[in-house]
Amino acid sequence: MDRFRMIFQYFQSNSESVMNGICGLLALASVKMYTSFDFSCPCLPQYNMAYGLGIMFVPPIILFLCGLILNRQSLVMLEEWRRPQGRRKKDLAVIRYMCSSIMQRAMVAPVVWIIVTLLDGKCLICAFSGSMDPGKFVGFANVSTVQVQQLLAKVPCKDDELMRNNTSRKAVSRYLRCWSQALGWSILLILIIAAFLARWLRPCFNQATLLQARHWSNYIDIEQKIFEETCCEHSRLFAHKCILHFFESMRQEIKLHSFSLPREGEGAEGEEDLLRGITDQDQVNKLLKTWYYEKPPLDVS
Amino acid sequence: MDKFRMIFQFFQSNQESFMNGICGIMALASTQMYSAFDFNCPCLPHYNLAYGLGILLVPPFILFLLGFVLNNNVSMLAEEWRRPQGQRGKDPAVLRYMFCSMAQRAMIAPAVWVSVTLLDGKCITCAFCTSVPVETLGNTSHPHFSEGEIERVLARIPCKEIYNGQQLIANEVAVRYLRCISQALGWCFVLLVTMLAFLVRSLRPCFSQAAFLKSRYWSHYIDIERKLFDETCAEHARSFAKVCIQQFFEGMSTDLVAARCHLPRKAPADAGEAAEKLLGITDRGTMNMALKSWHRCKPPLHLHAPALPTGNGWAGEGQPRTHPSAPQRERAAYYSWV
């Protein structure tokens, strides 16, 4: 019984920390992915915006979905939501609690990606360099409209032959990067304040309901884990019995066919038991062949 | 038995995490393989496409097959699929479950290779450099190149050192364009795969949860049963060998006593276990003869009733049993029926 208790305590304490760990790992993976990704703006008028905004928003969706997939609790919540009522009522507050905690954890990695992208600046420079007002920058002020679009689109590419030492390019780049970083820091500040307020003000609203929801969501999680553990235990015992029955039936068959008197050997009793009446090369071969060609029925009554 | 229980709990609880670990290792190996691979575009008109698409598609296929090879459960699935029905019916749902879970794990490393290849961009740049839209990106008003020449020039885009079409289309412009397309394809591919995985995982509880629980239980059962059977057979083989060897030594000792016509020495009552373990062999010559006999003439795989080692007669056991099914050809020459 104390083995069960140890397992209980392990699952109880570690379910939340396992999920937090996965959340943290995904956030680190998102930073690593951004740094190893070779950002390469196409520097063409129609493509820049699509590429820049695509790099800013598509990986967060992927990271969000990964966060949902890797979280075991999302499956538990779905099962609880979709199960037939049966003899146990469903508590929507519990399901809502589980859903919100899953969503919060899954949103961390996408937010990290967006903030890192904004603080770095390359995406915004690529996406919005074509939308700048050329009149504000000396180098682009007196150029024809078509040409100015082409030039502005080439701003993110430092090594392009037209843009190599262009001071207006640097001015546009600095301007956009400044906006990008300001946006990034603002978003970070707003999110931290929101998290702070949520954590501090939560006890003021509905604390009892929250405690109940948290307790029952933990309960559902643990119940499922224990059910799986019990099924494994059961299948192990079932297999053990099935194999013993099989050996016993082989022993009976051999006794029927070999006309030998039952032995009452006194020496090596333990070994005799383990041999289960199979004491001959042919008998062993027959046993193995029967195991393959005619597996015993799944019935140990 | 509790040793069994510990071992099987270890296998059961760690089976899934073991397979996930192998899956993760293969994904890492696939990225490592890609970075270690020296991509070398041929820069010739028709070879580029074949090389680029080959590098994009052939290694994933190899990694997929490798995923199946490294999975221990493949042989279990094959065995369950091909076994005769006998007294136990076959459940196709269980087979489908086992196959799906193996295929899902095997698809991760190929998907990682394809994503890394597309996000890096070299393959697509090599494969599709001849299809770059020169009208929009470069200037087609150049009269010096014919169709074939244009194609040859464009094919050299990935090889910067030999590129000679700077007037036709700038190398950086073409490379940036192709890489942008490649990365867009890469992110779309990753998004698609992730969405598919998410749908598969989240739609299952909505539709077939009971059938899923059943299939999962029986597939675990088949795995455990196979392992337990192997363990039981190993245990049986151990006991078989022990009794066989014991009977060999007893037989040797009886023979030697009979051959030398010695009166059997009764071991003193207080000699204890050590004397018993000597199995009647107490001098160098006898031991050497036992070893030689073990090498030249191993005993038959046929255990008989245990006989007492002293020559004073049987303790009422009766004759050793004859089994009609025992193969006569394996009887040892020295065995004597007393």
Side-chain angles (χ1 to χ4, degrees):
Chain A
M1 259 309 135
D2 59 345
R3 193 174 63 95
F4 272 99
R5 193 169 42 216
M6 264 169 56
I7 294 176
F8 275 136
Q9 278 172 349
Y10 172 79
F11 282 140
Q12 176 76 39
S13 63
N14 276 31
S15 173
E16 296 253 336
S17 45
V18 162
M19 290 193 302
N20 289 343
I22 291 189
C23 182
L25 276 175
L26 262 184
L28 283 174
S30 123
V31 173
K32 183 80 176 102
M33 246 166 67
Y34 183 78
T35 48
S36 57
F37 175 65
D38 188 14
F39 187 89
S40 156
C41 193
C43 294
L44 297 164
Q46 294 90 16
Y47 290 71
N48 275 6
M49 173 88 75
Y51 186 83
L53 293 182
I55 297 297
M56 200 152 97
F57 292 118
V58 168
I61 297 177
I62 293 170
L63 288 166
F64 180 71
L65 291 175
C66 275
L68 291 180
I69 291 172
L70 292 177
N71 193 343
R72 221 189 127 270
Q73 232 194 13
S74 56
L75 268 184
V76 171
M77 182 204 77
L78 274 174
E79 275 171 36
E80 175 65 15
W81 182 40
R82 299 298 301 174
R83 70 171 170 92
Q85 181 127 326
R87 301 201 321 212
R88 184 190 287 190
K89 281 205 292 258
K90 285 201 266 198
D91 187 357
L92 283 178
V94 172
I95 297 175
R96 270 200 308 267
Y97 173 84
M98 284 168 85
C99 193
S100 79
S101 94
I102 292 166
M103 290 290 175
Q104 281 168 28
R105 286 193 171 92
M107 294 272 264
V108 171
V111 163
V112 165
W113 175 279
I114 291 179
I115 289 178
V116 167
T117 308
L118 287 173
L119 292 179
D120 188 34
K122 286 191 289 224
C123 270
L124 237 66
I125 295 176
C126 185
F128 292 107
S129 69
S131 328
M132 296 307 301
D133 178 12
K136 286 198 189 139
F137 302 97
V138 171
F140 302 131
N142 298 325
V143 187
S144 70
T145 326
V146 171
Q147 274 245 313
V148 88
Q149 278 302 313
Q150 297 263 350
L151 283 176
L152 282 174
K154 286 198 197 292
V155 160
C157 298
K158 292 197 254 271
D159 299 324
D160 191 79
E161 51 196 353
L162 288 173
M163 289 281 143
R164 208 155 276 159
N165 291 317
N166 195 325
T167 43
S168 308
R169 177 200 70 78
K170 291 182 195 163
V172 173
S173 195
R174 271 200 309 266
Y175 179 79
L176 284 169
R177 181 173 271 154
C178 159
W179 269 104
S180 170
Q181 289 180 343
L183 199 59
W185 284 116
S186 314
I187 290 179
L188 189 58
L189 184 66
I190 290 172
L191 285 175
I192 300 263
I193 290 178
F196 175 81
L197 286 174
R199 214 160 152 87
W200 275 85
L201 296 180
R202 210 195 315 139
C204 306
F205 302 98
N206 269 339
Q207 182 67 352
T209 323
L210 183 72
L211 286 175
Q212 280 175 8
R214 193 166 68 178
H215 175 268
W216 290 114
S217 82
N218 259 345
Y219 171 81
I220 292 171
D221 195 23
I222 290 182
E223 192 188 46
Q224 227 228 14
K225 281 187 188 121
I226 292 180
F227 180 73
E228 281 170 20
E229 275 273 327
T230 314
C231 279
C232 291
E233 237 340 274
H234 183 270
S235 72
R236 190 194 61 78
L237 291 169
F238 197 112
H240 186 50
K241 270 246 149 84
C242 200
I243 289 170
L244 284 181
H245 274 217
F246 175 72
F247 271 85
E248 198 47 50
S249 70
M250 286 301 300
R251 184 205 288 228
Q252 310 269 359
E253 217 176 287
I254 286 165
K255 259 197 211 155
L256 278 176
H257 289 153
S258 60
F259 310 109
S260 55
L261 295 167
R263 275 183 285 174
E264 304 154 16
E266 31 171 88
E269 266 298 338
E271 300 298 339
E272 295 284 326
D273 283 343
L274 287 172
L275 285 173
R276 299 176 225 274
I278 315 281
T279 51
D280 181 301
Q281 187 184 28
D282 282 350
Q283 292 169 4
V284 171
N285 287 342
K286 183 169 191 310
L287 181 138
L288 293 172
K289 197 163 102 160
T290 314
W291 177 256
Y292 176 69
Y293 279 103
E294 280 185 31
K295 277 215 165 60
L298 290 169
D299 183 355
V300 295
S301 46
Chain B
M1 261 307 138
D2 59 346
K3 187 174 73 88
F4 273 94
R5 193 167 38 210
M6 263 168 52
I7 292 173
F8 283 106
Q9 269 174 0
F10 172 78
F11 276 135
Q12 188 52 50
S13 64
N14 280 27
Q15 170 88 336
E16 297 260 335
S17 46
F18 178 71
M19 290 314 308
N20 289 344
I22 290 211
C23 197
I25 287 176
M26 275 193 62
L28 284 174
S30 128
T31 47
Q32 192 56 37
M33 245 167 71
Y34 182 78
S35 47
F37 175 64
D38 187 16
F39 188 87
N40 217 339
C41 195
C43 293
L44 296 165
H46 303 289
Y47 288 68
N48 276 4
L49 187 68
Y51 186 83
L53 291 184
I55 299 296
L56 183 65
L57 297 173
V58 169
F61 184 66
I62 295 172
L63 288 167
F64 182 68
L65 291 178
L66 199 63
F68 272 105
V69 164
L70 291 179
N71 193 336
N72 290 339
N73 291 348
V74 164
S75 57
M76 182 176 82
L77 172 64
E79 203 183 293
E80 177 64 15
W81 183 38
R82 298 298 301 166
R83 73 170 169 91
Q85 183 125 328
Q87 295 175 30
R88 184 190 288 189
K90 283 203 269 195
D91 188 359
V94 173
L95 292 171
R96 267 199 311 267
Y97 170 82
M98 283 162 68
F99 181 73
C100 283
S101 81
M102 275 189 258
Q104 280 170 22
R105 287 194 171 91
M107 292 231 260
I108 291 186
V112 166
W113 175 279
V114 170
S115 339
V116 168
T117 307
L118 288 174
L119 291 176
D120 187 38
K122 287 191 288 228
C123 269
I124 297 286
T125 307
C126 183
F128 294 106
C129 54
T130 46
S131 326
V132 167
V134 185
E135 314 78 46
T136 42
L137 298 179
N139 64 40
T140 38
S141 58
H142 217 277
H144 289 199
F145 296 122
S146 66
E147 279 291 328
E149 283 243 0
I150 288 182
E151 212 184 332
R152 270 197 295 278
V153 164
L154 288 178
R156 295 203 192 107
I157 286 175
C159 305
K160 290 196 186 44
E161 353 24 275
I162 58 170
Y163 185 62
N164 57 350
Q166 205 64 15
Q167 299 89 4
L168 182 62
I169 177 171
N171 190 291
E172 303 83 35
V173 171
V175 166
R176 273 198 309 256
Y177 175 79
L178 289 165
R179 188 183 258 175
C180 157
I181 303 262
S182 173
Q183 287 179 344
L185 277 175
W187 284 117
C188 290
F189 175 77
V190 177
L191 183 65
L192 201 69
V193 166
T194 311
M195 223 179 265
L196 210 66
F198 174 73
L199 285 175
V200 162
R201 206 165 149 89
S202 52
L203 289 183
R204 202 230 314 131
C206 304
F207 292 108
S208 53
Q209 184 69 354
F212 167 75
L213 287 174
K214 199 173 76 156
S215 308
R216 192 172 64 173
Y217 178 87
W218 289 114
S219 87
H220 281 168
Y221 172 82
I222 291 171
D223 190 28
I224 289 182
E225 192 190 46
R226 188 178 68 141
K227 288 186 179 113
L228 254 176
F229 182 75
D230 287 343
E231 278 282 330
T232 314
C233 282
E235 207 181 65
H236 184 272
R238 196 184 156 281
S239 309
F240 198 111
K242 193 163 165 187
V243 175
C244 195
I245 291 168
Q246 210 160 10
Q247 289 179 353
F248 168 74
F249 273 99
E250 283 164 12
M252 281 296 306
S253 141
T254 317
D255 273 357
L256 288 165
V257 159
R260 292 190 201 157
C261 308
H262 284 175
L263 285 172
R265 264 175 299 168
K266 256 205 156 86
D270 55 351
E273 279 182 33
E276 274 182 36
K277 284 200 176 141
L278 286 175
L279 299 169
I281 298 180
T282 47
D283 65 278
R284 186 157 77 158
T286 321
M287 190 68 217
N288 286 343
M289 202 165 323
L291 292 170
K292 199 160 86 167
S293 179
W294 178 254
H295 173 67
R296 292 243 176 94
C297 189
K298 279 209 162 67
L301 289 168
H302 172 75
L303 307 179
H304 49 90
L308 292 176
T310 60
N312 273 349
W314 305 96
E317 277 291 289
Q319 300 275 341
R321 312 286 166 225
T322 51
H323 291 261
S325 54
Q328 293 289 335
R329 65 186 181 282
E330 286 196 352
R331 287 288 158 86
Y334 70 89
Y335 187 81
S336 60
W337 292 79
V338 176

